[in-house]
Amino acid sequence: IKSLAARLDAIAEEIARLVKARDEAQSRAESAQREYSTYEMDIAGADSGELGLDSEFEVAKVGLDRAKVDLATLIDSERAADRERNAIESKLEALQLTSQSRDGGAALIRDSRGLSILGSVASLISVDIGWEAATAAALGTLSDAIVVRDLNSAVSALTTLRSENLGQADLLVYQPGSHNSSNIPAGLTPLTNYVGSSEINDLLASLLSSTVVVDAAREAEGVLRSNPGLTVVTRDGDVITANRARGGSASSTSLIEINALIEELSKKLEISAHNCDRLKFEIVTAQSEVASKQSAFDIALSKLNESDARIAALTEQLAVSGQNMKSASAEVERLNAAIAEATAAKGRDENELSIASAQLQQRGETSEPDHGAAENLRNRVSLARTAEVEARLAVRTSEERV
């Protein structure tokens, strides 16, 4: 009876210990379950927010790519425009040098030496587009002639050219009001319709007073048959009179044509320079746009990376919580099994104790036999059973963790 009572006390203590361990495991399982649910909600929220971040990133990427393409296109256009401007400048410089290297006349233009010089005929007149060759042919060498204000200046100019060995030059004396009346019949087109001057108009009208224009040389014959005193010039530069004709294929470019080309190239150069400046300004604006788009892209990428890192961390924490919850639940099950087994053993021992107590009351007091050896065996069995239960718990815990 005493040994049964001692064993019941040991079993009661073991049950109390197992119950306490089970409650602690149950608390850990519930805590892990709450953490698991929290991480699940956090991951769901992060996934929902990442959809917006993905959209923001794609918009920023498309905007950056488009801005870079626009910038590259502007840079290519600016380079092409710069090459075009350089080519125009080179042509213009060459033509300007050509227009200035015209023997003695060019020397007088560069340095008038105190003479009353107005300029070259070519520089003082304006010619409609397409009539440069006809005007140059009609004026001949006079298109390069230097216009002076009086006869004294003309004589002084010739003297200077000879004394300084500067070459030769044609000189025209401009006397306002000395214009000869035109003798061109009605129905014909005078060349002066396409040539004019705000400075030497009277002189120009005098030089071209008998010059008319036709489209082709074949038409000149009919004009001269009726008007033998006229000079007929074609648009291509053929000059025909009643007893002389000059023309054919294109000859060397005249100063009038060179000046027309210079004026045309100067306008093109101005347009090209303006285009280059405009493109440079647009490039600066595009570079600012690329920088802005790059900043927006970097921010969107950073947000997306942060979101990915946060989701990865939450996922890892979710896995840890799940493992903790699984381990704690398994431990609760094992402890419940141990408690049930200990409770069953306690019930059996209590039943044996009740039977032994009843038998003792029926028989009265008897000398107590020596149960030391049996008690030792029972204690060893109890210890072995406890060790077995704990070993089983340890093995199953290790299996769950693995």
Side-chain angles (χ1 to χ4, degrees), residues 199-262:
E199 298 182 73
I200 57 168
N201 195 56
D202 290 343
L203 176 59
L204 186 63
S206 177
L207 294 174
L208 303 176
S209 61
S210 61
T211 303
V212 297
V213 294
V214 293
D215 289 331
R218 292 289 182 184
E219 302 177 23
E221 185 177 357
V223 173
L224 292 173
R225 189 178 292 113
S226 302
N227 304 278
L230 296 179
T231 298
V232 181
V233 62
T234 66
R235 190 164 187 159
D236 294 330
D238 296 330
V239 180
I240 305 170
T241 65
N243 51 19
R244 180 187 174 193
R246 176 169 56 83
S249 62
S251 60
S252 59
T253 307
S254 67
L255 185 58
I256 291 176
E257 292 173 298
I258 290 175
N259 285 341
L261 288 174
I262 289 174

Side-chain angles (χ1 to χ4, degrees), residues 226-375:
S226 302
N227 304 278
L230 296 179
T231 298
V232 181
V233 62
T234 66
R235 190 164 187 159
D236 294 330
D238 296 330
V239 180
I240 305 170
T241 65
N243 51 19
R244 180 187 174 193
R246 176 169 56 83
S249 62
S251 60
S252 59
T253 307
S254 67
L255 185 58
I256 291 176
E257 292 173 298
I258 290 175
N259 285 341
L261 288 174
I262 289 174
E263 183 178 356
E264 180 183 357
L265 288 175
S266 296
K267 292 179 180 178
K268 287 184 177 180
L269 180 60
E270 183 179 355
I271 294 173
S272 180
H274 176 71
N275 188 37
C276 287
D277 293 339
R278 177 185 60 81
L279 288 172
K280 287 179 180 178
F281 175 78
E282 291 182 359
I283 286 174
V284 172
T285 303
Q287 287 173 338
S288 299
E289 182 68 13
V290 168
S292 176
K293 296 294 184 182
Q294 183 68 55
S295 177
F297 174 82
D298 292 340
I299 292 173
L301 179 60
S302 176
K303 289 181 179 179
L304 190 60
N305 290 337
E306 289 177 0
S307 177
D308 290 340
R310 181 169 179 266
I311 290 175
L314 289 173
T315 302
E316 183 178 355
Q317 292 173 334
L318 180 69
V320 172
S321 296
Q323 184 62 39
N324 291 338
M325 182 176 63
K326 185 176 181 181
S327 299
S329 297
E331 187 174 357
V332 168
E333 292 178 1
R334 289 192 298 273
L335 290 171
N336 282 333
I339 291 171
E341 184 177 351
T343 301
K346 181 182 177 184
R348 289 193 299 271
D349 289 347
E350 286 177 343
N351 186 43
E352 290 181 6
L353 179 61
S354 177
I355 293 172
S357 297
Q359 290 176 352
L360 178 61
Q361 288 177 358
Q362 290 176 358
R363 295 177 183 177
E365 292 294 333
T366 59
S367 61
E368 187 69 27
D370 185 8
H371 297 290
E375 187 64 28

